[in-house]
Every structure is written in structure tokens, then in C-alpha cells.
Amino acid sequence: MTRANAPVWALAVGQTLTYAGVYYAFPAILPDLLRETGWTAAELAAGPTLGFLVMAAFTPFTGRWVDRGWGGEMLTYTPILAALGVALLGWAPSLIWWLVIWALLGVVQATCLYETCFAFLTRRLGDDARLAITRVTLVAGFAGTLTFPLGALMAHHFGAQGALVGFALLILLGAVPVNAWAVRALRRMERAEAPRRNPPEPGALKDALRRPAFWGISAIFGLIWLNHGILLTFILMLFQDRGASATMATIAAACIGPSQVAGRLVLLVFASRLSNARASLWSLASVLAAGGILLVAGWLPALIFVFAMLQGAGAGLLSNLRPMLVADHLGRRGFGTISGAVAVSPILASAAAPSVGAALLGLGGPGLIYAAGLSMAAAAMALGLWILPNRQA
């Protein structure tokens, strides 16, 4: 693992910049997009929703491609396409083009975000992948912290559509070169040592689909990512509904990233004393508590900072723990394929989140979003208490 330190940290930087450009940019500049385009929140949210639906359809295939040794190529070249897509969003002349570009971005996201990165590291580093994945997520947790103030700054000076072009340059000039170097370095290290990768395992996914753990883990992460996606998409609006000023809301939203990092640091420190299942249950409890705090924050707007800390720590830890839970409960045989299949649920949830959130907002206002988010977290907690303590693999 010592020789892999530098390329792993480089991949962490690449993931941070890629997530900033293709994932967090939309909620960071959503209020500005609403003002400048004249489109409704539901119309704008249809773009990320479509992108995530396409991503969900392609992720199982990208997992197989990683198993076949193509993970490095995807991490190296597809961020270029991501940068192009984000830049084109800034020039979308109509809602139809907005949707078409997001659909193309969905294909790209399936190839260059966490799922591909984690499967690539697991394939290359074997048992050392847990530490590598933790390091990647420690750094990438700052993606939201970077994006919200940067988005506000660029939107103020260049408009929302100009800000999208700025985020595209961030991916192209930052993520692309560091990813390319990291992939080459890890492959050189593998050639210098005994290869630790495993060939594709036919039938692994079919076997996993027979296990309750597969469906339980998929459901848990689907519920949490729907909860997190809705809250993140409309976070600035929700914080202002709780009585926060626009500046206070932006600062609180930016705290989610450091909270993710803090939660992952706790996992790193207590890794030898805290099982993956127990860490996951504590993370689910954190998200559940965050929902309750947001519900009562109308009485004291400063509580939005407590919400940001609990939500960020819980969701951040869970994103880190998902590949570990898959390995614990479903084994390492055909890991890339199985991990990609499990990822379909949270990706579909992320796809639905902007549109579901817009629908909830239209039906019952922010209050309905608070209640729905709390219910999702409670359901995920119940499933976690049932599934996670029973390690099957």
C-alpha cells in the first residue's frame, strides 16, 4: 500500500473535482438557473433525473468492464466527455437540449465516478482497497465544500450558465490529468509486483441475487440516497425556509462536505474496533437524527448546522461503507459486477430525487419534504437492524 499512496491520493483529487463538476454543480447554482432560464424547478430537475436513470442502466455494464480490466481507461478518458457535457449545459438553448445533454452525461457518470473508482481500486489492490477507498472518500468529501461557494462566486460574476462552463474547465484541467497519472502509476506498480486481480467470475451476480443481503443492502442505500438527494437538491431553499439568510444557508450547505470527511476520519481511527455493519448502523442513526433536527430547525435556524453535520457524516460514511458491505455480505467473487448491480438502487434514487423533491414541494411545501426524508431514514434504519448484523459471506 505504501507505493500506492501517491496515486490513490491523486485519484482522490480527481474524484473530488469530477463530483464538483457533474454532481454538486446543479444544486449549487439551482437558484440562479431558475432566475436565468425561466424554467421551473421540476423542468430543471428533469435533467439530473434523466442523467441518473441512464447512469443506473449503464452501471452494471461498467462493473463488468472493470472486471475485464478497462477501469483505468474509463477513469482516464471519460472525464473529458464529462467536461464537454457540463460545458454544453451552459449553452443549452432549450429544455429539450438540456435533457439530451443530461442523458449523455448519465452515460459518462456511470464510467468515471465512485463505482468505477472503487471497483478499480478493489481489483488492483485487493485487501488494501479498504484503506485506499477511505482515503479517496476523505478527500472527495470536500467536493460539496468546494462547489457551493465556488458556484456562488462564478454565478455572481458569469451567470449560472457561465458557471457551468467554469465547472467544465475544473474537470478538464484538474481531474483528467491527475486521473491519467494515477492509473498509469497503479498499473506500473502491478507490473512490478505479482498481479492481485482476479478474472471475471461467471455466475457471481446470479448467485448474489439469491441472497436477501443483496436486496436488503440495495434497499437501504436506495432509501438513503433518495433522502440525501432530495435534501441536497433543494438544500438552499429548505435552509431559507427554516429561517436562514441566503449567506447562512450557503455556509451551512458547505459544511456537509467537511462533515463527511469528519465521519470518515472517525471510521479510519476506529477501523480496527468498529465492524463495517456497526459503523453502517451508526451512520443510519446519524441520518435519522439529522431528519429530526431539520424538522424542528424552524424554531432555531442555527440548527441547520447541526443537520449539516449529522447528514454529512452519516451519508458520507455510508458511501464509504457500501463497497465494504458488498464484500462482507456477498464476497469478492465478481466484485465489480455485483457492486455495479447493488449501485443501481442508489443511482435510481438519485435519479428520482430531484423530481420527487419537486413534486413533494409542489404538493405540500417544504414540510412534506421534511416528513418524507425522516420516513425514508427510519425505514432504512429498520432494514439495517434486520440485515446488516448477519454477515453471510
Side-chain angles (χ1 to χ4, degrees):
M1 186 64 198
T2 302
R3 294 188 62 197
N5 282 344
V8 166
W9 288 120
L11 278 179
V13 172
Q15 286 293 295
T16 303
L17 299 178
T18 306
Y19 265 97
V22 301
Y23 185 84
Y24 287 103
F26 175 73
I29 61 172
L30 177 57
D32 300 279
L33 282 169
L34 286 168
R35 285 194 299 271
E36 293 181 20
T37 63
W39 301 334
T40 67
E43 288 172 333
L44 285 169
T49 296
L50 179 59
F52 279 119
L53 286 172
V54 174
M55 181 181 175
F58 274 84
T59 296
F61 298 102
T62 59
R64 292 192 185 99
W65 296 339
V66 173
D67 283 339
R68 287 169 170 78
W70 291 95
E73 281 71 20
M74 288 190 286
L75 290 171
T76 299
Y77 298 112
T78 59
I80 300 172
L81 300 178
L84 177 61
V86 172
L88 288 174
L89 285 176
W91 300 97
S94 67
L95 186 60
I96 294 296
W97 277 106
W98 173 261
L99 296 175
V100 168
I101 297 166
W102 269 111
L104 297 174
L105 275 173
V107 178
V108 175
Q109 288 181 93
T111 64
C112 66
L113 295 181
Y114 270 173
E115 286 308 315
T116 298
C117 181
F118 293 168
F120 175 76
L121 288 172
T122 301
R123 177 179 170 81
R124 295 283 157 181
L125 300 177
D127 292 337
D128 290 333
R130 170 173 171 158
L131 179 57
I133 289 169
T134 301
R135 289 176 175 177
V136 168
T137 55
L138 280 174
V139 178
F142 287 110
T145 307
L146 170 69
T147 308
F148 281 97
L150 182 60
L153 181 66
M154 291 195 296
H156 175 73
H157 289 286
F158 308 112
Q161 292 172 308
L164 287 169
V165 176
F167 280 118
L169 291 174
L170 190 69
I171 300 170
L172 186 63
L173 301 179
V176 172
V178 297
N179 277 6
W181 178 83
V183 167
R184 287 197 302 270
L186 285 169
R187 284 179 166 168
R188 282 197 302 267
M189 184 187 73
E190 184 182 70
R191 285 195 294 270
E193 300 174 358
R196 284 184 272 186
R197 58 185 179 178
N198 297 315
E201 295 279 357
L205 178 58
K206 186 176 180 180
D207 291 342
L209 291 172
R210 297 193 183 102
R211 300 189 182 188
F214 176 91
W215 300 104
I217 292 171
S218 297
I220 289 167
F221 284 94
L223 287 165
I224 291 298
W225 257 241
L226 184 59
N227 163 291
H228 192 61
I230 290 172
L231 295 175
L232 186 65
T233 301
F234 297 97
I235 193 167
L236 297 178
M237 296 179 185
L238 296 177
F239 282 173
Q240 291 180 56
D241 172 73
R242 299 286 78 183
S245 66
T247 300
M248 183 179 177
T250 300
I251 294 171
C255 289
I256 290 180
S259 300
Q260 290 177 331
V261 173
R264 289 161 182 163
L265 281 173
V266 171
L267 178 64
L268 195 62
V269 171
F270 294 100
S272 61
R273 286 175 280 175
L274 196 61
S275 69
N276 293 327
R278 181 168 294 184
S280 299
L281 290 174
W282 279 109
S283 302
L284 290 169
S286 181
V287 174
L288 180 59
I293 292 293
L294 186 61
L295 190 64
V296 301
W299 296 97
L300 181 62
L303 287 174
I304 63 173
F305 289 95
V306 180
F307 161 81
M309 289 187 288
L310 291 172
Q311 183 76 16
L317 267 173
L318 287 167
S319 67
N320 192 75
L321 288 162
R322 176 151 54 91
M324 301 173 193
L325 291 175
V326 171
D328 284 350
H329 289 263
L330 300 170
R332 295 185 183 276
R333 177 172 171 261
F335 178 84
T337 302
I338 295 171
S339 181
V342 171
V344 169
S345 175
I347 293 171
L348 285 175
S350 297
S355 295
V356 171
L360 291 172
L361 200 61
L363 288 172
L368 188 55
I369 289 183
Y370 306 142
L374 192 59
S375 299
M376 294 169 202
M381 185 74 203
L383 279 170
L385 290 169
W386 173 48
I387 289 287
L388 297 184
N390 303 312
R391 178 169 172 166
Q392 298 180 23

PDB file of all heavy atoms in Angstrom, residues 51-52 61 76 100 144 166 190 209-210 226 233 266 271 278 283 290 304-305 334 374:
ATOM      1  N   GLY A  51     -30.362  11.942 -16.276  1.00  0.00           N
ATOM      2  CA  GLY A  51     -28.963  11.536 -16.240  1.00  0.00           C
ATOM      3  C   GLY A  51     -28.729  10.367 -15.303  1.00  0.00           C
ATOM      4  O   GLY A  51     -28.014   9.410 -15.645  1.00  0.00           O
ATOM      5  N   PHE A  52     -29.334  10.392 -14.135  1.00  0.00           N
ATOM      6  CA  PHE A  52     -29.157   9.298 -13.186  1.00  0.00           C
ATOM      7  C   PHE A  52     -29.844   8.021 -13.657  1.00  0.00           C
ATOM      8  O   PHE A  52     -29.371   6.912 -13.380  1.00  0.00           O
ATOM      9  CB  PHE A  52     -29.676   9.706 -11.806  1.00  0.00           C
ATOM     10  CG  PHE A  52     -28.711  10.543 -11.024  1.00  0.00           C
ATOM     11  CD1 PHE A  52     -29.038  11.834 -10.632  1.00  0.00           C
ATOM     12  CD2 PHE A  52     -27.461  10.043 -10.669  1.00  0.00           C
ATOM     13  CE1 PHE A  52     -28.152  12.611  -9.915  1.00  0.00           C
ATOM     14  CE2 PHE A  52     -26.564  10.811  -9.944  1.00  0.00           C
ATOM     15  CZ  PHE A  52     -26.912  12.100  -9.565  1.00  0.00           C
ATOM     16  N   PHE A  61     -22.996  -2.615 -16.473  1.00  0.00           N
ATOM     17  CA  PHE A  61     -22.072  -2.906 -17.569  1.00  0.00           C
ATOM     18  C   PHE A  61     -20.675  -2.375 -17.265  1.00  0.00           C
ATOM     19  O   PHE A  61     -19.678  -3.042 -17.553  1.00  0.00           O
ATOM     20  CB  PHE A  61     -22.593  -2.299 -18.871  1.00  0.00           C
ATOM     21  CG  PHE A  61     -23.911  -2.867 -19.305  1.00  0.00           C
ATOM     22  CD1 PHE A  61     -25.084  -2.151 -19.104  1.00  0.00           C
ATOM     23  CD2 PHE A  61     -23.985  -4.114 -19.891  1.00  0.00           C
ATOM     24  CE1 PHE A  61     -26.305  -2.667 -19.494  1.00  0.00           C
ATOM     25  CE2 PHE A  61     -25.211  -4.652 -20.292  1.00  0.00           C
ATOM     26  CZ  PHE A  61     -26.363  -3.927 -20.084  1.00  0.00           C
ATOM     27  N   THR A  76      -9.595   7.429 -17.056  1.00  0.00           N
ATOM     28  CA  THR A  76      -8.676   8.326 -17.759  1.00  0.00           C
ATOM     29  C   THR A  76      -9.384   9.190 -18.801  1.00  0.00           C
ATOM     30  O   THR A  76      -9.157  10.409 -18.869  1.00  0.00           O
ATOM     31  CB  THR A  76      -7.566   7.515 -18.446  1.00  0.00           C
ATOM     32  OG1 THR A  76      -6.825   6.800 -17.453  1.00  0.00           O
ATOM     33  CG2 THR A  76      -6.617   8.436 -19.208  1.00  0.00           C
ATOM     34  N   VAL A 100     -31.281  16.267 -23.351  1.00  0.00           N
ATOM     35  CA  VAL A 100     -30.413  15.426 -24.186  1.00  0.00           C
ATOM     36  C   VAL A 100     -28.991  15.404 -23.620  1.00  0.00           C
ATOM     37  O   VAL A 100     -28.354  14.346 -23.523  1.00  0.00           O
ATOM     38  CB  VAL A 100     -30.409  15.931 -25.650  1.00  0.00           C
ATOM     39  CG1 VAL A 100     -29.307  15.251 -26.450  1.00  0.00           C
ATOM     40  CG2 VAL A 100     -31.766  15.684 -26.292  1.00  0.00           C
ATOM     41  N   GLY A 144     -18.475  19.018  -2.134  1.00  0.00           N
ATOM     42  CA  GLY A 144     -19.561  19.960  -1.876  1.00  0.00           C
ATOM     43  C   GLY A 144     -19.054  21.257  -1.269  1.00  0.00           C
ATOM     44  O   GLY A 144     -19.542  22.351  -1.603  1.00  0.00           O
ATOM     45  N   GLY A 166     -17.354  27.077 -16.280  1.00  0.00           N
ATOM     46  CA  GLY A 166     -16.258  27.082 -15.327  1.00  0.00           C
ATOM     47  C   GLY A 166     -16.056  25.723 -14.668  1.00  0.00           C
ATOM     48  O   GLY A 166     -14.923  25.255 -14.497  1.00  0.00           O
ATOM     49  N   GLU A 190       1.647  -2.631 -10.402  1.00  0.00           N
ATOM     50  CA  GLU A 190       1.170  -4.008 -10.540  1.00  0.00           C
ATOM     51  C   GLU A 190       2.119  -4.841 -11.394  1.00  0.00           C
ATOM     52  O   GLU A 190       2.393  -6.001 -11.104  1.00  0.00           O
ATOM     53  CB  GLU A 190      -0.232  -4.031 -11.151  1.00  0.00           C
ATOM     54  CG  GLU A 190      -0.826  -5.424 -11.239  1.00  0.00           C
ATOM     55  CD  GLU A 190      -2.187  -5.427 -11.892  1.00  0.00           C
ATOM     56  OE1 GLU A 190      -2.251  -5.179 -13.105  1.00  0.00           O
ATOM     57  OE2 GLU A 190      -3.168  -5.668 -11.200  1.00  0.00           O
ATOM     58  N   LEU A 209     -27.870 -12.504  -6.411  1.00  0.00           N
ATOM     59  CA  LEU A 209     -29.284 -12.133  -6.478  1.00  0.00           C
ATOM     60  C   LEU A 209     -30.174 -13.050  -5.648  1.00  0.00           C
ATOM     61  O   LEU A 209     -31.305 -12.702  -5.316  1.00  0.00           O
ATOM     62  CB  LEU A 209     -29.756 -12.134  -7.937  1.00  0.00           C
ATOM     63  CG  LEU A 209     -29.187 -11.027  -8.830  1.00  0.00           C
ATOM     64  CD1 LEU A 209     -29.589 -11.260 -10.282  1.00  0.00           C
ATOM     65  CD2 LEU A 209     -29.675  -9.664  -8.364  1.00  0.00           C
ATOM     66  N   ARG A 210     -29.684 -14.229  -5.303  1.00  0.00           N
ATOM     67  CA  ARG A 210     -30.467 -15.166  -4.499  1.00  0.00           C
ATOM     68  C   ARG A 210     -30.405 -14.843  -3.008  1.00  0.00           C
ATOM     69  O   ARG A 210     -31.146 -15.432  -2.222  1.00  0.00           O
ATOM     70  CB  ARG A 210     -29.955 -16.599  -4.709  1.00  0.00           C
ATOM     71  CG  ARG A 210     -30.090 -17.133  -6.126  1.00  0.00           C
ATOM     72  CD  ARG A 210     -29.847 -18.633  -6.143  1.00  0.00           C
ATOM     73  NE  ARG A 210     -29.907 -19.175  -7.493  1.00  0.00           N
ATOM     74  CZ  ARG A 210     -28.848 -19.481  -8.221  1.00  0.00           C
ATOM     75  NH1 ARG A 210     -27.636 -19.310  -7.713  1.00  0.00           N
ATOM     76  NH2 ARG A 210     -28.982 -19.968  -9.437  1.00  0.00           N
ATOM     77  N   LEU A 226     -32.157   8.487  -1.804  1.00  0.00           N
ATOM     78  CA  LEU A 226     -33.341   9.284  -2.133  1.00  0.00           C
ATOM     79  C   LEU A 226     -33.489  10.409  -1.120  1.00  0.00           C
ATOM     80  O   LEU A 226     -33.727  11.568  -1.482  1.00  0.00           O
ATOM     81  CB  LEU A 226     -34.586   8.395  -2.144  1.00  0.00           C
ATOM     82  CG  LEU A 226     -35.900   9.077  -2.559  1.00  0.00           C
ATOM     83  CD1 LEU A 226     -35.794   9.676  -3.956  1.00  0.00           C
ATOM     84  CD2 LEU A 226     -37.065   8.090  -2.487  1.00  0.00           C
ATOM     85  N   THR A 233     -30.575  18.558  -3.248  1.00  0.00           N
ATOM     86  CA  THR A 233     -31.022  19.329  -4.407  1.00  0.00           C
ATOM     87  C   THR A 233     -31.682  20.640  -3.995  1.00  0.00           C
ATOM     88  O   THR A 233     -31.469  21.683  -4.618  1.00  0.00           O
ATOM     89  CB  THR A 233     -31.997  18.501  -5.252  1.00  0.00           C
ATOM     90  OG1 THR A 233     -31.348  17.301  -5.692  1.00  0.00           O
ATOM     91  CG2 THR A 233     -32.480  19.285  -6.465  1.00  0.00           C
ATOM     92  N   VAL A 266     -13.294   9.363  11.582  1.00  0.00           N
ATOM     93  CA  VAL A 266     -13.660   8.535  12.726  1.00  0.00           C
ATOM     94  C   VAL A 266     -13.578   7.059  12.347  1.00  0.00           C
ATOM     95  O   VAL A 266     -13.057   6.228  13.109  1.00  0.00           O
ATOM     96  CB  VAL A 266     -15.077   8.896  13.225  1.00  0.00           C
ATOM     97  CG1 VAL A 266     -15.558   7.881  14.269  1.00  0.00           C
ATOM     98  CG2 VAL A 266     -15.095  10.299  13.807  1.00  0.00           C
ATOM     99  N   ALA A 271     -11.138   1.913  12.880  1.00  0.00           N
ATOM    100  CA  ALA A 271     -11.370   0.823  11.934  1.00  0.00           C
ATOM    101  C   ALA A 271     -11.180  -0.548  12.569  1.00  0.00           C
ATOM    102  O   ALA A 271     -11.934  -1.486  12.287  1.00  0.00           O
ATOM    103  CB  ALA A 271     -10.442   0.980  10.731  1.00  0.00           C
ATOM    104  N   ARG A 278     -21.560  -2.376  12.124  1.00  0.00           N
ATOM    105  CA  ARG A 278     -21.854  -1.450  13.218  1.00  0.00           C
ATOM    106  C   ARG A 278     -21.650  -0.005  12.775  1.00  0.00           C
ATOM    107  O   ARG A 278     -22.451   0.881  13.128  1.00  0.00           O
ATOM    108  CB  ARG A 278     -20.973  -1.772  14.422  1.00  0.00           C
ATOM    109  CG  ARG A 278     -21.238  -0.875  15.625  1.00  0.00           C
ATOM    110  CD  ARG A 278     -20.563  -1.398  16.875  1.00  0.00           C
ATOM    111  NE  ARG A 278     -21.150  -2.666  17.289  1.00  0.00           N
ATOM    112  CZ  ARG A 278     -20.797  -3.319  18.401  1.00  0.00           C
ATOM    113  NH1 ARG A 278     -19.833  -2.823  19.170  1.00  0.00           N
ATOM    114  NH2 ARG A 278     -21.373  -4.454  18.723  1.00  0.00           N
ATOM    115  N   SER A 283     -24.156   5.172  11.190  1.00  0.00           N
ATOM    116  CA  SER A 283     -24.347   6.143  10.107  1.00  0.00           C
ATOM    117  C   SER A 283     -25.823   6.331   9.793  1.00  0.00           C
ATOM    118  O   SER A 283     -26.291   7.460   9.579  1.00  0.00           O
ATOM    119  CB  SER A 283     -23.591   5.679   8.860  1.00  0.00           C
ATOM    120  OG  SER A 283     -22.221   5.509   9.128  1.00  0.00           O
ATOM    121  N   ALA A 290     -30.539  13.541  11.850  1.00  0.00           N
ATOM    122  CA  ALA A 290     -30.487  14.765  11.050  1.00  0.00           C
ATOM    123  C   ALA A 290     -31.874  15.169  10.561  1.00  0.00           C
ATOM    124  O   ALA A 290     -32.228  16.355  10.569  1.00  0.00           O
ATOM    125  CB  ALA A 290     -29.542  14.563   9.866  1.00  0.00           C
ATOM    126  N   ILE A 304     -29.621  24.284  11.539  1.00  0.00           N
ATOM    127  CA  ILE A 304     -29.292  23.760  10.212  1.00  0.00           C
ATOM    128  C   ILE A 304     -27.824  23.327  10.151  1.00  0.00           C
ATOM    129  O   ILE A 304     -27.473  22.448   9.370  1.00  0.00           O
ATOM    130  CB  ILE A 304     -29.598  24.771   9.080  1.00  0.00           C
ATOM    131  CG1 ILE A 304     -28.758  26.033   9.214  1.00  0.00           C
ATOM    132  CG2 ILE A 304     -31.097  25.086   9.037  1.00  0.00           C
ATOM    133  CD1 ILE A 304     -28.888  26.991   8.029  1.00  0.00           C
ATOM    134  N   PHE A 305     -26.974  23.912  10.987  1.00  0.00           N
ATOM    135  CA  PHE A 305     -25.571  23.490  11.031  1.00  0.00           C
ATOM    136  C   PHE A 305     -25.439  22.114  11.681  1.00  0.00           C
ATOM    137  O   PHE A 305     -24.604  21.304  11.273  1.00  0.00           O
ATOM    138  CB  PHE A 305     -24.729  24.525  11.775  1.00  0.00           C
ATOM    139  CG  PHE A 305     -24.543  25.813  11.021  1.00  0.00           C
ATOM    140  CD1 PHE A 305     -25.379  26.897  11.248  1.00  0.00           C
ATOM    141  CD2 PHE A 305     -23.543  25.933  10.063  1.00  0.00           C
ATOM    142  CE1 PHE A 305     -25.217  28.083  10.539  1.00  0.00           C
ATOM    143  CE2 PHE A 305     -23.372  27.115   9.354  1.00  0.00           C
ATOM    144  CZ  PHE A 305     -24.213  28.186   9.584  1.00  0.00           C
ATOM    145  N   GLY A 334     -16.450 -11.791  -8.461  1.00  0.00           N
ATOM    146  CA  GLY A 334     -17.211 -10.925  -9.367  1.00  0.00           C
ATOM    147  C   GLY A 334     -17.581  -9.609  -8.726  1.00  0.00           C
ATOM    148  O   GLY A 334     -18.667  -9.077  -8.969  1.00  0.00           O
ATOM    149  N   LEU A 374     -37.546  12.114   6.723  1.00  0.00           N
ATOM    150  CA  LEU A 374     -37.476  11.424   8.007  1.00  0.00           C
ATOM    151  C   LEU A 374     -38.008   9.999   7.897  1.00  0.00           C
ATOM    152  O   LEU A 374     -37.442   9.060   8.469  1.00  0.00           O
ATOM    153  CB  LEU A 374     -38.264  12.217   9.044  1.00  0.00           C
ATOM    154  CG  LEU A 374     -38.099  11.818  10.513  1.00  0.00           C
ATOM    155  CD1 LEU A 374     -36.648  11.939  10.951  1.00  0.00           C
ATOM    156  CD2 LEU A 374     -38.994  12.684  11.396  1.00  0.00           C
TER     157      LEU A 374
END
